[in-house]
Amino acid sequence: MVAEGDSSTEVVVSNEHGLHARPAAKVVGVAQRFDAKVTLTNLTTGKGPVDAGSLSMVATLNAQQGHRLRISASGPEADVAVATLSALADRGFDDLPSEAGTADATPVRAGRSGSGLDVAVGPAIVADQDVDLSGYQAGDVDVERQRAKDGMRVAEEQLTALRDETAKTVGAAEASIFDAQLALLGDVMVQDAVFRAITQGEDKSAPDAWKAALDAVAADFEGLDDPYQRERAQDVRSVRDRVLRALVGTAAGGDLAAGGGPGGGDHAAAGVLVVRELDAATAAGVDAERIVGIAVRAAGTTGHGVIVARSRGIPVITGIGDVVVPAGAVVGFDARAHEFVVGPADGGERLRAVVRGRAGEREAALAEAERPAVTLDGTTIAVFANVGSVQDAADARGADGSGLVRTEVLFGERRVAPTVEEQVEVFRAIAAALHGKSITIRTWDIGGDKPLAFLPQEREANPFLGERGIRVFRRRPELLRDQLTAICRVAAETPVQVMFPMVTTAEEVAWARAELAALKPPEGLKVGIMIEVPAAALRITTLAAGLDFVSIGSNDLTQYTTATDRGNSAVAGLADGLDPAVLQLIDRVVRGVPDGVEVAVCGDLASDPDAAVLLAGLGVHELSAVGPQVPVIKARLRQTDLAEAATHAAASLAMPSATAVRAQL
Ligand code: PEP
Ligand code: MG
């Protein structure tokens, strides 16, 4: 924290996206023009004062639209510095209104669906390593300064091209990632730090100086309270590596791993992307036409990046560990068999045959996709799709509707909460893409690993055990009310179910229902809750009284039952939805719900064809899976004898481990 000066004024942040990277860069530019020490304080959050001459510090104020800022300055030009910054604030920081972050009501993404076969083979596009600087030959100070400038210019050209291409082929929200990265490249403070280090010989080479400066900025972001802002450290590292690659003259997989997605230019060839961890932005941004699969070093299959990639039909394998993968080497994997190979002796032929075999099965399943999933003994199992975008809904061939619309994913990039009207439009588009079949809209499920940009949360010691899902809205119900209003409006036009996440107590259910009732919902709007907390499963009979349905979120139910953070690869081996302890809770829900309350499963367990059969055997007659799996699951269920499945399912409850359950599937 720095001291405030003696000339000061207060302003309100008026621009839509707050003081994000671009307007923050403007503030920094102005602050540096004057012979004054300028500071900013976010009076709304109490954060600051921070040095207004540092982009990273200004960005870390997390100043959102409507926040009050104090601008203070000391020194000979303090008054004029404050007046100029105040005028800039009055002009909304010269931040042009943009559409960035608007959830689009129409499917626009080109090449969005991958093979969905859980198997992939191709040259490795490695985006998991630090840029190798070991071969770099440093010149004298002038040479290094010039190289640093050239590196930044090359990166700027690439980022500009990426932004324009992404805006065209993917959407404005994804393209805005590159605006923030461009602003960082143009940050005078960062440039000064780099040139100073080169000139003063601290980090004499351009790559060392650049890396040190950007690592410092990334560390600033990582220290922030707000998870959304913390995640921006990834943008910083992405810019860092882009310039480093330009400096050492390597092409790399970074475009695809940094949310750059289509049009990266560096990677015209198809291949398997290899990353350390898979974040949702990368998963949403990669070009499914070129990236035939993603291999993730970290373990864990229920993180949001993995979910997004799978819902796009991109094969993903996780937990490949530290295996050495040379860029360009043929790699392949079969996620179902948990097999990952580097440089196979047969050049990948065997895996290509698996691809062909599964493609054949999928073709057959697709041909039958629209037929209902009726088991051999005549029971119909509804198979829905989980969707996080209108495109997901459009891609969900054969789905009987949507059993989970993840609203926080739909509007995840928004810096400002969507209006009721905007939500209505997107929900309507999803229903239309599913031909008017029933859609289950889950109310905002935020917290834990799901930050929402427009609803910053305080740092929590244990976010997964903190204010998540429905809990968030007890203190601030307005956003929930807006969403429920939109849901009610759409429910008057088309079949809709509303579903509340992360419920623990009957009192929470009563509160949520009272909020809904106050809006006078239309007849026919079905109401349900997610069962994700073991306590909810254990007291299902009282919790579900009066509801239309419950839907088991097996991802979180597994996390909480086995006490394994779903994003922590170190313990991912313990987090298996087929753990008999989890299955016992599911069984309890099926047996314990009051008559007439439907039981569904919408966690990722329902996307695994073998597990889907087991769930049907336990008596779950509604499943919601990632879109590309829907036809395959339907095909499997059509070959299932439910009585036999029930016998197997009952036996699995008494088994000692998930491994034992898997072995008998
Ligand atoms: C779940 O927890 O299983 C679920 C469907 O919700 P999410 O994965 O979005 O937390
Ligand atoms: Mg969940």
Side-chain angles (χ1 to χ4, degrees), residues 124-130 241 245 252-258 267 272-277 282 295 297 325 327:
I125 298 169
V126 180
D128 71 331
Q129 285 150 356
D130 293 336
D241 290 351
R245 288 197 299 271
D255 287 348
L256 294 163
H267 317 286
V272 174
L273 183 65
V274 181
V275 293
R276 268 191 204 134
E277 288 184 319
T282 301
R297 293 198 180 277
V325 184

Side-chain angles (χ1 to χ4, degrees), residues 304 406 442 445 450 468 501-502 530 532 553-557 559-560 566:
H304 283 92
R406 285 188 166 99
R442 178 172 72 182
D445 183 20
K450 297 188 244 190
R468 282 199 64 192
M502 269 300 289
M530 289 195 72
E532 302 173 280
S554 56
N555 304 333
D556 276 311
L557 188 62
Q559 157 167 266
Y560 294 122
R566 64 195 272 184

Side-chain angles (χ1 to χ4, degrees), residues 188-202:
V188 186
M189 287 288 280
V190 171
Q191 292 181 2
D192 277 358
V194 173
F195 293 129
R196 208 176 327 110
I198 293 173
T199 309
Q200 295 173 356
E202 296 161 23

Side-chain angles (χ1 to χ4, degrees), residues 599-616:
V599 178
V601 172
C602 64
D604 275 5
L605 203 54
S607 297
D608 172 340
D610 292 329
V613 171
L614 192 153
L615 290 168

Side-chain angles (χ1 to χ4, degrees), residues 427 441 443 482-492 496 498 525:
F427 298 155
I441 304 175
T443 59
D482 272 2
Q483 186 164 64
L484 291 175
T485 305
I487 290 170
C488 288
R489 248 194 245 170
V490 179
V496 171
V498 61
L525 172 63

Side-chain angles (χ1 to χ4, degrees), residues 443-447 466-473 501-502:
T443 59
W444 303 119
D445 183 20
I446 63 171
E467 282 195 307
R468 282 199 64 192
I470 190 91
R471 301 173 182 184
V472 173
F473 301 95
M502 269 300 289

Side-chain angles (χ1 to χ4, degrees), residues 7-74:
S7 175
S8 73
T9 191
E10 288 180 18
V11 296
V12 173
V13 178
S14 62
N15 49 315
E16 186 190 359
H17 302 303
L19 259 193
H20 63 92
R22 223 171 342 154
K26 295 231 169 69
V27 170
V28 170
V30 171
Q32 288 180 343
R33 249 195 274 142
F34 298 101
D35 184 5
K37 175 91 190 142
V38 187
T39 64
L40 290 183
T41 306
N42 187 339
L43 297 171
T44 305
T45 61
K47 199 144 198 321
V50 298
D51 185 347
S54 159
L55 177 81
S56 60
M57 292 315 294
V58 173
T60 62
L61 280 178
N62 191 19
Q64 307 283 337
Q65 185 178 37
H67 284 191
R68 269 185 324 121
L69 298 182
R70 184 188 297 126
I71 306 167
S72 287
S74 54

